[in-house]
Amino acid sequence: MKTISLKPTFCACLLAFLLAAPARAEITPKTWSVGPFVGGYIFDDHQSLKDSLVAGLRLGYAFTPAFTLEGSVDHPFAKSKLNANKINVNLLHIDALYHFRPHAQWVPFIVGGVGGLSMDDAGESVIANIGVGLKYFVVSVVEVIICEEDYDFS
């Protein structure tokens, strides 16, 4: 009996779907967005924490095609450099984003915001952040974001 694998066909269809030019990949004003994210977090040397994976949830509202406000909850999976113990770190912040080409598939932006950080043994701190990024709309409702932000802890 001959078996037919649908895996290559499924993968080819999925790839074609993801790489197809979206009909309407842009930032639409007066719309909400919500989604999970993953990334990396690089701690300052004085914090004695290893660089780690970060995961979180982001909620945003586009006031205009160029201006968006986003709230974010971030959880870096941090470990101490001293003894490899897990350290509970949480960030909560609100960011303003300005998009330079909001109607394009590739959208560069700048970001700035404020929030709070909670960390075992260090308590809570006020944070401010600023950065630059690039959004790529895979399809009209799926985007990949590459962003570099610098946080200042007080």
Side-chain angles (χ1 to χ4, degrees):
M1 180 176 203
K2 190 175 187 181
T3 59
I4 299 172
S5 174
L6 294 177
K7 192 180 216 181
T9 304
F10 175 75
C11 290
C13 290
L14 181 62
L15 185 63
F17 171 75
L18 291 177
L19 295 179
R24 204 181 141 138
E26 63 184 75
I27 297 165
T28 308
K30 298 181 182 173
T31 58
W32 289 93
S33 63
V34 63
F37 66 90
V38 294
Y41 199 94
I42 300 171
F43 290 95
D44 289 337
D45 289 335
H46 75 278
Q47 292 174 306
S48 299
L49 297 173
K50 295 179 183 178
D51 300 341
S52 69
L53 179 70
V54 62
L57 185 65
R58 186 172 281 134
L59 173 68
Y61 183 77
F63 290 92
T64 69
F67 179 68
T68 301
L69 277 182
E70 289 184 350
S72 177
V73 177
D74 307 11
H75 179 74
F77 297 93
K79 290 186 179 181
S80 172
K81 286 183 180 177
L82 306 174
N83 55 20
N85 287 344
K86 290 182 181 177
I87 306 294
N88 189 25
V89 179
N90 292 294
L91 290 95
L92 177 65
H93 53 99
I94 295 176
D95 300 324
L97 286 78
Y98 181 80
H99 305 98
F100 291 101
R101 295 176 49 217
H103 301 292
Q105 191 168 5
W106 292 88
V107 181
F109 65 91
I110 56 173
V111 60
V114 295
L117 171 124
S118 169
M119 187 179 338
D120 288 348
D121 300 331
E124 297 176 352
S125 301
V126 173
I127 60 172
N129 64 299
I130 190 165
V132 296
L134 183 66
K135 292 182 180 183
Y136 172 69
F137 285 90
V138 179
V139 292
S140 61
V141 294
V142 177
E143 60 189 48
V144 175
I145 301 172
I146 300 168
C147 187
E148 169 63 33
E149 294 181 57
D150 185 37
Y151 288 87
D152 182 32
F153 303 91
S154 61

